[in-house]
Amino acid sequence: MKVIAFVRKDLGTGASRRQRIAGQTPAIVYGGTEAPVNLSLDHNALYHALKKEAFHSSILDLEIDGVVQKVLLRDFQVHAYKQLVLHADFQRVDATQAIHVKVPLHFVNADVSPAVKLSAGIISHVLTDLDISCLPKDLPEFVEVDLAALEVGHSIHLADLKLPNGVTVVSQENLTVATAAIPAGKVEAEAPVAAAAPAAEKK
């Protein structure tokens, strides 16, 4: 994915405000052996790019005045109630250096899991993204969580995930990723029925 940017020479709060009025978003790129560079991006292009999941977890081609650099989106700020991106931060990446990135989790096969298909259970997603470490070339857009074998009363943990080659989890704990349980309302509804049986027998 490509991001077109231009070097921003006018700095300060007033300059940033003027840029936003003109349909531009202030940004910065930093990291690596080069000095940080203040940038200006087309607001509408950035706004729509931010709606794409892959834009947040992919190596991007940042083109600055015709020169392309490999970067990651590291942060961005949006207006509290307007559809307005206020600022964006990009970090340069080195192909030979591992990067620490947060990628989304994609949950698949919930409908065929024993928890749902046989027990009408509910699967809860405890985690929605994952901190990983890898070389830029190995960065996945997402990590898949297969729920096909999940049963009621059981959970999937980080150790159960099948990670792409070259990818490791940053967390030292074996965190819970997803759990399956019977809905509370269903359990409560069944309990009175079971309790009523002995009372009926006494009559």
Side-chain angles (χ1 to χ4, degrees):
M1 303 179 73
K2 178 175 284 190
V3 181
I4 306 297
F6 301 92
V7 175
R8 179 165 58 101
K9 297 179 181 178
D10 293 333
L11 306 178
T13 304
S16 295
R17 186 181 300 112
R18 288 192 295 273
Q19 283 210 340
R20 296 185 185 107
I21 293 174
Q24 301 293 310
T25 298
I28 189 171
V29 60
Y30 58 86
T33 58
E34 300 179 45
V37 178
N38 292 293
L39 305 172
S40 179
L41 287 73
D42 178 79
H43 175 270
N44 288 342
L46 178 61
Y47 178 79
H48 290 293
L50 287 170
K51 292 184 176 181
K52 301 176 182 178
E53 183 182 71
F55 190 75
H56 299 259
S57 57
S58 298
I59 303 298
L60 307 172
D61 289 328
L62 179 64
E63 182 178 318
I64 305 173
D65 297 337
V67 179
V68 176
Q69 301 180 28
K70 300 292 184 181
V71 301
L72 280 169
L73 174 68
R74 279 306 190 187
D75 195 15
F76 65 96
Q77 293 84 45
V78 296
H79 195 277
Y81 56 88
K82 296 180 181 179
Q83 294 183 336
L84 184 65
V85 184
L86 300 176
H87 196 272
D89 294 9
F90 297 92
Q91 181 184 6
R92 301 183 186 98
V93 298
D94 184 335
T96 63
Q97 299 293 321
I99 53 176
H100 176 190
V101 186
K102 185 172 288 188
V103 297
L105 293 174
H106 283 193
F107 296 84
V108 299
N109 296 325
D111 56 332
V112 300
S113 68
V116 173
K117 195 170 184 179
L118 302 180
S119 306
I122 296 296
I123 295 178
S124 300
H125 301 167
V126 181
L127 298 181
T128 57
D129 48 40
L130 189 64
D131 284 324
I132 63 170
S133 178
C134 63
L135 289 175
K137 69 179 182 63
D138 296 323
L139 177 62
E141 290 185 9
F142 59 86
V143 170
E144 189 171 272
V145 182
D146 191 353
L147 304 172
L150 185 60
E151 299 180 4
V152 164
H154 291 73
S155 302
I156 293 178
H157 297 85
L158 291 182
D160 302 318
L161 301 182
K162 293 183 178 179
L163 299 174
N165 290 334
V167 175
T168 58
V169 176
V170 173
S171 175
Q172 299 300 313
E173 301 178 57
N174 191 23
L175 300 174
T176 300
V177 177
T179 62
I182 298 295
K186 183 178 180 182
V187 174
E188 292 171 2
E190 291 175 349
V193 175
E201 291 175 359
K202 292 180 180 180
K203 295 179 181 179

